[in-house]
Amino acid sequence: ARGKNDWALTDRHDVETFLAALPQTRSRHLTVLRQFFRHARRSRLILVDPTVGVSSGRATKGFTGRTLSLDHQRALFWRWTTEESIHPHEAAHGLLALLHGASCQEVRMLKLGDIDASTRSVALGRRPHPVPLDPATWTQLQRCLVHHQRLGTENPHLIVTRVTKARTEPASAAYFTHLLNGAGVSP
């Protein structure tokens, strides 16, 4: 449509025009275009890669969801560290998420073998290094371990429910979806 019949004539403006036509898939299309033009340059089909310097349009790859205000975070921290009536699962999950950025999946899959008492750290998910725990989180983790022992279960996961007590699988994802309801937050 632009009157170009050779890949060597493609410039950055052409790439931007193509990507602008499909904004929802811009990042994915740009990845494929970069691979193609990198190959074309190595194969000497083109002299200049027109995708160099083209932005994917995403401002950040980090967390873009809703965050809690500082006062709300303080209230939750107070709830999970001082109120003894709070279930240990809620307190441990809440503090791991609040202070260490642990996802529901990371806490759900946390096994007893992932806890290192000598360094007071845990191996969370695919993180490359063990996560050192602060005293408050470590205390709530210990409460979970006591609760685990009281259940008398062979389940290797830290968070064990009545349903998973006799099994070896982790607690359900639905359990974690509602675990923090008492605190008025959702994961």
Side-chain angles (χ1 to χ4, degrees):
R2 298 178 64 89
K4 296 184 180 183
N5 56 6
D6 189 0
W7 288 111
L9 299 175
T10 306
D11 61 11
R12 182 177 176 170
H13 182 70
D14 298 321
V15 172
E16 288 284 0
T17 303
F18 173 75
L19 295 173
L22 302 164
Q24 298 297 324
T25 57
R26 178 183 177 97
S27 182
R28 185 174 51 224
H29 280 108
L30 181 57
T31 300
V32 174
L33 285 173
R34 283 182 175 148
Q35 291 170 351
F36 172 76
F37 283 111
R38 202 175 312 123
H39 169 72
R41 192 165 189 303
R42 277 194 310 262
S43 302
R44 303 204 192 292
L45 297 173
I46 59 173
L47 294 175
V48 179
D49 182 350
T51 62
V52 171
V54 176
S55 169
S56 67
R58 289 178 38 184
T60 178
K61 288 186 177 185
F63 179 75
T64 57
R66 187 177 63 89
T67 58
L68 303 174
S69 71
L70 195 54
D71 289 336
H72 195 187
Q73 291 178 39
R74 284 187 181 116
L76 290 171
F77 182 82
W78 182 260
R79 172 186 170 85
W80 292 325
T81 56
T82 61
E83 294 185 29
E84 293 294 322
S85 62
I86 302 298
H87 195 282
H89 291 173
E90 178 192 329
H93 179 41
L95 288 173
L96 283 167
L98 181 68
L99 301 178
H100 304 284
S103 67
C104 288
Q105 184 70 6
E106 288 175 325
V107 178
R108 182 174 174 245
M109 300 309 261
L110 186 62
K111 293 184 177 183
L112 301 176
D114 296 332
I115 302 168
D116 186 353
S118 64
T119 61
R120 287 190 171 195
S121 63
V122 293
L124 285 176
R126 294 183 188 161
R127 297 184 188 192
H129 304 290
V131 177
L133 299 180
D134 58 283
T137 307
W138 183 254
T139 300
Q140 296 309 319
L141 197 71
Q142 295 304 307
R143 284 185 64 215
C144 272
L145 290 171
V146 169
H147 179 72
H148 191 278
Q149 287 176 336
R150 274 194 217 130
L151 289 175
T153 180
E154 295 293 320
N155 192 315
H157 295 89
L158 175 68
I159 307 289
V160 178
T161 64
R162 283 181 282 144
V163 174
T164 61
K165 179 171 97 169
R167 303 177 187 168
T168 58
E169 64 211 29
S172 69
Y175 179 75
F176 280 89
T177 301
H178 300 290
L179 188 56
L180 302 179
N181 284 357
V185 292
S186 62

